Amino acid sequence: MKPFDIVIVGGGGAGLYAAMEAMKTNPSLNIAVLSKVYPNRSHTSAAQGGANAALANKAKDDTVELHIFDTIKGSDYLADQDAVEVLCSEAPKIIRELDNMGTPWSRMDDNTIAQRPFGGAGRPRCCYCADKTGHTILQTLYEQCLKKGVQFFNEYFALSLSVNGSRMRGLLALNIKTGKVEAFASKTVIFATGGYAKMYWNRSSNAAGNTGDGQAIAYRAGIPLKDMEFVQFHPTGLRKSGLLVTEGARGEGGYLVNRDGERFMARYAKEKMELGPRDLVARSLETEILEGRGFDSPAGKYIHLDLTHLGADLIKSRLPQIREMSMQFEGVDPIEEPIPVRPTAHYSMGGIDTDNFGRTVMGGVYAAGECGCVSVHGANRLGGNSLLDILVFGRIAGRTAAEEVGKFAPGIIPESEIAEKAEELRSFMKPSGHYERYGALREELGQTLAMNVGIFREAPLLRKGIDDIAALRERYQHVRVFDTSDVYNTNLIQVLELKNMLDLAETVAAGAYAREESRGSHTRVDFPVRDDEKWHRHTVATLENGKVALGEKPVTMGRYELQERTY
Amino acid sequence: MTVTEPHIEEAKKDITFRVFRFNPQIDSKPYYDDYTIQVERGITVLRSLNYIKEHLDATVSFRAFCQAGICGSCAMRVNGLSKLACTTQVWEVLEKCREPNVIKVEPLRNLPLVKDLIVDMDPLVDKMKHYSNWVESTMPEEKMGKKEFLISEEEFLKYDKATDCILCASCVSECSILRANSEYVSPAVLLKSYRMNSDSRDAIHDVRLAELVKDHGVWDCTHCYRCQETCVKSIPIMDAIHGIREDAIERRGMKDTSGSKHAEAFMSDIEKKGKLVEATLPIRTNGMAWTLKNLLPMAMKMIVKRRTPPPPPLVKPTKGIRVFRSMFREMSEHVREDHKSHNK
Ligand SMILES: Cc1cc2nc3c(=O)[nH]c(=O)nc-3n(C[C@H](O)[C@H](O)[C@H](O)COP(=O)(O)OP(=O)(O)OC[C@H]3O[C@@H](n4cnc5c(N)ncnc54)[C@H](O)[C@@H]3O)c2cc1C
Ligand code: SF4
Ligand code: SF4
Ligand code: FES
């Protein structure tokens, strides 16, 4: 294969926008987009709510300034204020650009793009297309990339960066359809592989492939990860799968009920009840379950989200999606029975440490989207801000790489490196006396994370979590791939994804253990208050001698002083 | 103490999944493997397959990603019908088992087989490219990002449903024409083409249409409704197909399509809207073949004469259209059967 100028890993919103922008910046460049699933399957399609931008179509007095403030406050003051400024001031432009290229949007009476209110925002500024905003944005970007002739390498699984000393020379990837390891020599690489919240497995709303591959690859190549301990939990995931039941169910008047038939939110948020802020409701549900007031089932403990009192008509007309979901995934019709729910890991705030241009510490390596951490979300992301993040910073990373590509010499990846990698993959398939099963390890990882590095964290639990993860990493040495075929070996892919989750889990737990305060999504029972003196800073995790080493980085401040975060 | 809901505990069954197997590296032809597992109420086909892969046989290969019915990865045939494995409840397909409690799981049809339940999606992507399934914006690139287009909710609603498509290819798998002609445009691509053609921001409507009326295009569809009945997102695909046809007749006249194809269009309009009901009489009395042969010239004239045909939404379906449609389909089915026995 001819060496590339830019290799983009990931075909979600961030990767596709990066590809388009890089082509636009310099049409003569040789650009590849690798994706382990067809780009239109990427998890961006799951976003229902919408994307924030101060278009002021709905609230005429909305401004970029207000959006900036909401985002910084929402982040519990851990976001870098210069980055947030970029995010929010680019927002109106990027939404209009999407509109100009053909993204469908719901419309207001005056034919402008419709906007709705969203949690944590002082104005209704969330632009949406019914309940399928991520899907329609991703479709549009994919269509536009097809139009522009972007070179796609679909169903390629990125394995590792090829680095010589400190010089990056490209990427190794597995061609899933043939089982061959292929080298992508390139001057630059952009990671856009999405989030890592799937490490909580069936306690996560994420797609099966949101396993943090890009972060893990970068981390193993010596690139630091930032703020990994911040994982956002959503209060209502389905019991069996962790899939999301959106806030709409509570918005329309649904009750959260424990085993004693009690609407327990009265004890946590007397006035707002079920409509309290996301993190508070999530913590309340979890408390009920931990204190034994949940229901039990073979698929785990849960709480009832009861809609039965709303009546068939309202459920059918206003909440058809939610009804369909709970019938499809739980076999429960909410008109007749309550929906079994529990909190679910939803979004990863942490990721590959980048500057405002998507650059990492390694020359020629960039990151954007949920896999990067600029940081614009700090300790807690606002709904509707992450679609925005992937678009704005996907574009910036694409442009920056295209502009800087001349600084890097074309790399050559030696054949021996490819052969070694292929051998490494084969070694999983060798029969041996003692072996470990992939499914068991993955299940245990999800469980220990949910129990010990979940919504409520405290030193003894975290230490247990850290030990469990270490033990699982040890057992992973013996994991066995039973499918020995080359063509479409999904068993092998799962095992490789598990390795990425295990590596990242270690950084999440280490960060959570070190951060002795409560901020945003990170709740330490033993350190219940925010400690700005000691912890108003980012954590940075680097791999040193096979172990995670934690460092720190200051938060970039700006116009907004630290304040208590109250709503 | 644990509280378990009794009905969930009770609702457990031993189910056999009869899975289509084919590994191109070893197998000269496909075969089936049986896996019997205990399944409780509320479990989907995908979760069952995951369980089989993790506990019984790690080599069983299939695609899945979102597990929430939104990414389109996991389409496969369950008891003979194409659907998403992740949104299909095991309980709900039990009624359709030929052998009690044996569920057959097979790959989609009409796309090249890769391995087990996995088919190659590239032909579909190639068709999307061939039929320009994108908006070519009327706004030049350098002007983008400054102002939104003003678009009415009414226009949005025209293509709203079509943009639900998740490219799962279930409809492709069930399309009767694709079985005979792999070059046929495909229902999902027709749907997407229609969506693009109804977008006022798009500048290449006529180019797309010119491609759609060529061989293997929109006129090849037999309006068998299989795609629409299959669609996992309940998208009225036939509206899109009829929309493109009406558009083609309106904009391009008769110049580039053969008469028999127009006859089909004519018949399908009748079926869809229930207008020109007088035409049903000859069909009923003389059968489809006779009607086609004898009434075709008149049908053509009528289409030509409609110099300013009303836009599609204004041609309201006539009352009793359901009954009429099913009658029509039944008749078509008879004619097809007739054809088959003739050809034997
Ligand atoms: C249920 C749900 C609802 C949400 N709702 C909203 C919302 O309303 N508003 C909002 O702003 N945000 C929402 N989010 C968050 C938002 O959807 C995501 O943060 C965002 O879409 C991530 O986009 P991305 O481009 O970074 O990554 P993704 O879309 O996840 O794409 C990752 C890409 O990387 C590829 N990839 C990964 N690993 C590899 C590898 N090893 N080799 C090759 N390719 C690889 C994948 O194939 C994929 O193409 C929601 C998230 C979830 C889970
Ligand atoms: S109606 Fe047309 S496109 Fe749909 S399945 Fe039948 S032949 Fe195929
Ligand atoms: S039209 Fe329906 S069945 Fe066909 S690909 Fe789209 S969503 Fe799937
Ligand atoms: S796994 Fe995504 S649609 Fe089924």
Side-chain angles (χ1 to χ4, degrees):
Chain A
M1 237 182 300
K2 214 169 102 214
F4 290 95
D5 294 301
I6 305 177
V7 168
I8 297 167
V9 190
L16 295 183
Y17 228 116
M20 286 203 317
E21 187 69 12
M23 276 179 101
K24 191 163 135 190
T25 309
N26 184 350
S28 68
L29 296 180
N30 185 18
I31 301 170
V33 177
L34 259 70
S35 180
K36 65 179 174 183
V37 295
Y38 279 82
N40 54 302
R41 314 265 186 243
S42 304
H43 203 55
T44 294
S45 61
Q48 301 179 326
N52 297 335
L55 293 176
N57 287 352
K58 176 106 184 183
K60 300 294 172 207
D61 63 344
D62 195 14
T63 60
V64 168
E65 248 345 283
L66 288 170
H67 187 186
I68 293 175
F69 175 69
D70 287 342
T71 303
I72 292 170
K73 180 180 171 196
S75 81
D76 221 345
Y77 296 88
L78 196 68
D80 292 308
Q81 299 196 3
D82 54 345
V84 175
E85 203 167 316
V86 175
L87 178 83
C88 302
S89 47
E90 285 289 304
K93 184 162 178 255
I94 209 133
I95 296 298
R96 288 182 188 127
E97 197 169 290
L98 279 172
D99 168 66
N100 295 165
M101 35 181 162
T103 310
W105 297 104
S106 296
R107 296 285 163 169
M108 311 246 303
D109 285 343
D110 65 357
N111 296 352
T112 56
I113 295 170
Q115 297 187 286
R116 63 177 155 215
F118 228 49
R123 299 284 185 285
R125 70 169 73 93
C126 190
C127 310
Y128 63 95
C129 175
D131 56 359
K132 52 180 174 183
T133 318
H135 168 73
T136 49
I137 289 179
L138 187 67
Q139 292 289 335
T140 309
L141 293 176
Y142 184 49
E143 290 153 10
Q144 293 297 311
C145 285
L146 289 180
K147 176 182 115 183
K148 291 184 157 66
V150 171
Q151 280 185 77
F152 282 111
F153 292 84
N154 293 334
E155 311 207 302
Y156 273 71
F157 185 87
L159 296 165
S160 58
L161 274 177
S162 174
V163 184
N164 186 17
S166 64
R167 217 174 77 73
M168 193 280 300
R169 53 192 179 186
L171 184 94
L172 293 183
L174 176 74
N175 180 341
I176 301 177
K177 277 187 198 141
T178 64
K180 286 216 168 49
V181 175
E182 295 180 20
F184 289 77
S186 182
K187 293 178 189 168
T188 62
V189 168
I190 303 175
F191 285 109
T193 55
Y196 55 82
K198 194 61 187 178
M199 63 170 71
Y200 290 78
W201 204 251
N202 58 16
R203 297 284 308 271
S204 168
S205 66
N206 285 194
N210 282 15
T211 49
D213 299 353
Q215 296 90 319
I217 292 170
Y219 176 64
R220 288 194 291 262
I223 297 171
L225 306 177
K226 189 162 67 194
D227 291 338
M228 292 295 284
E229 61 272 27
F230 292 104
V231 177
Q232 187 173 69
F233 284 83
H234 193 284
T236 52
L238 290 179
R239 159 192 57 177
K240 289 195 175 111
S241 53
L243 293 175
L244 205 67
V245 181
T246 58
E247 255 131 19
R250 281 172 288 135
E252 293 294 343
Y255 295 156
L256 289 168
V257 179
N258 66 17
R259 196 179 90 181
D260 307 326
E262 176 198 14
R263 269 181 80 190
F264 57 84
M265 280 311 296
R267 271 185 280 120
Y268 305 91
K270 213 177 166 101
E271 264 166 43
K272 291 219 149 181
M273 294 292 286
E274 281 84 359
L275 297 177
R278 214 184 252 192
D279 50 345
L280 174 71
V281 181
R283 285 196 291 268
S284 313
L285 251 95
E286 192 74 1
T287 306
E288 290 300 302
I289 290 174
L290 288 177
E291 292 180 357
R293 290 188 293 276
F295 298 86
D296 214 338
S297 77
K301 297 187 165 60
Y302 61 96
I303 287 291
H304 274 164
L305 172 57
D306 194 349
L307 309 182
T308 51
H309 59 282
L310 299 178
D313 287 346
L314 190 141
I315 293 176
K316 279 187 192 156
S317 64
R318 302 262 188 86
L319 302 166
Q321 300 309 21
I322 286 169
R323 175 164 180 245
E324 193 176 287
M325 268 191 64
S326 84
M327 296 204 288
Q328 284 170 343
F329 302 111
E330 288 284 346
V332 164
D333 183 348
I335 292 177
E336 276 143 30
E337 294 172 66
I339 311 172
V341 294
R342 58 180 174 176
T344 187
H346 186 50
Y347 183 81
S348 38
M349 267 76 73
I352 301 173
D353 181 18
T354 75
D355 67 9
N356 291 353
F357 293 89
R359 300 186 194 101
T360 70
V361 296
M362 188 180 281
V365 180
Y366 306 79
E370 195 173 335
C371 106
C373 179
V374 186
S375 136
V376 290
H377 308 301
N380 177 49
R381 156 195 85 116
L382 292 188
N385 261 359
S386 66
L387 279 180
L388 183 60
D389 170 19
I390 67 173
L391 300 168
V392 168
F393 289 97
R395 182 165 70 173
I396 290 176
R399 188 190 306 148
T400 311
E403 284 169 356
E404 296 182 343
V405 84
K407 293 208 290 192
F408 307 103
I412 297 171
I413 300 177
E415 284 295 325
S416 60
E417 192 176 334
I418 306 170
E420 252 169 59
K421 197 38 108 187
E423 190 41 47
E424 188 187 316
L425 301 188
R426 280 265 134 212
S427 70
F428 284 113
M429 301 170 193
K430 297 235 170 75
S432 59
H434 166 73
Y435 65 83
E436 293 285 346
R437 296 192 82 93
Y438 149 80
L441 296 183
R442 189 209 60 210
E443 214 62 33
E444 284 177 47
L445 175 65
Q447 266 163 25
T448 187
L449 282 170
M451 299 245 302
N452 303 311
V453 198
I455 295 182
F456 292 114
R457 301 165 170 185
E458 57 180 307
L461 291 179
L462 288 163
R463 243 179 274 121
K464 168 97 170 59
I466 289 170
D467 291 345
D468 284 354
I469 295 165
L472 287 168
R473 287 164 59 80
E474 194 52 42
R475 284 166 61 194
Y476 182 85
Q477 307 296 322
H478 307 286
V479 74
R480 171 97 176 267
V481 172
F482 291 92
D483 190 345
T484 56
S485 60
D486 296 324
V487 178
Y488 227 104
N489 192 334
T490 47
N491 189 200
L492 174 62
I493 299 292
Q494 288 178 323
V495 164
L496 295 172
E497 288 175 336
L498 175 60
K499 167 76 171 140
N500 294 335
M501 292 194 283
L502 282 167
D503 284 357
L504 296 187
E506 200 172 22
T507 67
V508 174
Y513 185 65
R515 188 177 283 277
E516 297 185 330
E517 66 158 350
S518 291
R519 183 187 297 272
S521 70
H522 173 69
T523 307
R524 283 287 298 256
V525 178
D526 41 358
F527 298 95
V529 287
R530 197 174 84 187
D531 183 351
D532 290 327
E533 186 95 8
K534 262 167 90 193
W535 282 107
H536 185 239
R537 57 201 64 188
H538 302 292
T539 58
V540 176
T542 321
L543 186 67
E544 278 173 20
N545 305 321
K547 277 218 177 88
V548 49
L550 277 191
E552 291 174 7
K553 222 178 151 175
V555 177
T556 308
M557 293 298 279
R559 244 168 302 170
Y560 300 98
E561 295 296 320
L562 282 163
Q563 281 175 37
E564 204 190 328
R565 180 176 162 246
T566 50
Y567 286 102
Chain B
M1 193 188 91
T2 54
V3 179
T4 33
E5 287 158 306
H7 63 276
I8 288 185
E9 273 301 286
E10 279 160 20
K12 271 187 186 164
K13 273 185 192 154
D14 282 335
I15 311 276
T16 300
F17 288 84
R18 184 157 294 164
V19 181
F20 181 99
R21 304 300 308 271
F22 178 70
N23 179 349
Q25 283 182 294
I26 325 172
D27 305 322
S28 54
K29 59 174 199 251
Y31 60 96
Y32 291 84
D33 269 333
D34 280 4
Y35 304 96
T36 304
I37 59 174
Q38 196 176 62
V39 181
E40 69 175 74
R41 189 186 81 128
I43 294 292
T44 60
V45 171
L46 181 63
R47 282 178 75 89
S48 310
L49 288 175
N50 278 332
Y51 183 89
I52 289 168
K53 188 173 178 67
E54 268 165 42
H55 295 90
L56 304 180
D57 184 351
T59 67
V60 176
S61 304
F62 50 90
R63 287 195 189 97
F65 198 64
C66 71
Q67 327 206 22
I70 182 64
C71 78
S73 298
C74 68
M76 55 184 76
R77 280 184 301 140
V78 181
N79 279 343
L81 285 178
S82 305
K83 40 183 78 177
L84 299 177
C86 72
T87 58
T88 303
Q89 285 282 320
V90 170
W91 250 234
E92 152 204 320
V93 288
L94 281 182
E95 299 155 21
K96 288 157 212 134
C97 291
R98 287 232 173 118
E99 272 174 59
N101 297 338
V102 177
I103 296 177
K104 211 171 190 183
V105 189
E106 297 162 297
L108 295 183
R109 282 189 300 217
N110 299 336
L111 288 163
L113 180 61
V114 176
K115 181 187 184 185
D116 294 352
L117 303 171
I118 298 166
V119 294
D120 187 1
M121 288 287 166
D122 283 345
L124 190 61
V125 178
D126 291 342
K127 284 176 187 168
M128 285 170 59
K129 284 198 231 171
H130 182 87
Y131 291 96
S132 312
N133 278 185
W134 47 72
V135 167
E136 176 88 51
S137 183
T138 51
M139 188 181 285
E141 206 164 84
E142 61 286 359
K143 288 210 174 137
M144 285 189 181
K146 297 193 178 77
K147 260 178 80 176
E148 345 172 347
F149 281 108
L150 294 180
I151 289 170
S152 63
E153 181 79 2
E154 197 186 338
E155 177 183 329
F156 167 70
L157 290 176
K158 255 204 275 178
Y159 48 76
D160 176 30
K161 225 19 218 165
T163 63
D164 282 357
C165 173
I166 56 172
L167 290 172
C168 69
S170 291
C171 57
V172 171
S173 167
E174 298 291 331
C175 173
S176 42
I177 289 296
L178 271 170
R179 290 205 80 179
N181 173 17
S182 62
E183 283 176 71
Y184 172 57
V185 45
S186 300
V189 175
L190 284 173
L191 179 72
K192 270 186 111 58
S193 304
Y194 172 76
R195 172 257 176 277
M196 302 304 162
N197 269 359
S198 353
D199 198 315
S200 62
R201 293 168 291 189
D202 174 66
I204 55 164
H205 173 282
D206 292 349
V207 179
R208 207 176 287 114
L209 197 59
E211 207 51 45
L212 286 165
V213 298
K214 288 189 186 157
D215 283 352
H216 318 302
V218 68
W219 295 110
D220 283 17
C221 165
T222 60
H223 35 87
C224 68
Y225 275 81
R226 297 271 304 176
C227 52
Q228 178 159 322
E229 282 156 10
T230 306
C231 179
V232 302
K233 291 280 158 190
S234 312
I235 304 169
I237 305 176
M238 292 311 296
D239 284 0
I241 296 176
H242 288 289
I244 296 174
R245 286 180 164 186
E246 280 171 39
D247 192 19
I249 292 175
E250 189 176 331
R251 297 230 184 184
R252 303 180 57 89
M254 325 285 287
K255 62 179 184 275
D256 53 9
T257 43
S258 70
S260 67
K261 287 173 177 173
H262 277 290
E264 281 178 21
F266 176 68
M267 297 313 285
S268 77
D269 278 352
I270 293 174
E271 177 192 10
K272 191 178 153 227
K273 312 278 189 193
K275 293 273 155 137
L276 302 166
V277 193
E278 62 270 29
T280 60
L281 193 66
I283 297 175
R284 248 183 293 159
T285 46
N286 302 314
M288 176 78 105
W290 184 92
T291 309
L292 275 178
K293 202 163 115 239
N294 293 281
L295 292 185
L296 184 64
M298 185 187 84
M300 304 267 283
K301 263 185 226 144
M302 288 177 73
I303 293 170
V304 178
K305 267 194 184 162
R306 272 203 300 168
R307 259 189 246 133
T308 47
L314 295 181
V315 186
K316 291 258 161 52
T318 316
K319 266 193 199 159
I321 182 84
R322 261 171 210 282
V323 185
F324 176 58
R325 264 188 204 151
S326 71
M327 248 164 59
F328 188 91
R329 245 175 289 167
E330 210 174 285
M331 282 188 289
S332 313
E333 207 48 58
H334 280 307
V335 174
R336 237 174 276 136
E337 287 303 324
D338 275 359
H339 265 290
K340 269 193 207 154
S341 48
H342 271 299
N343 294 342
K344 257 179 202 160

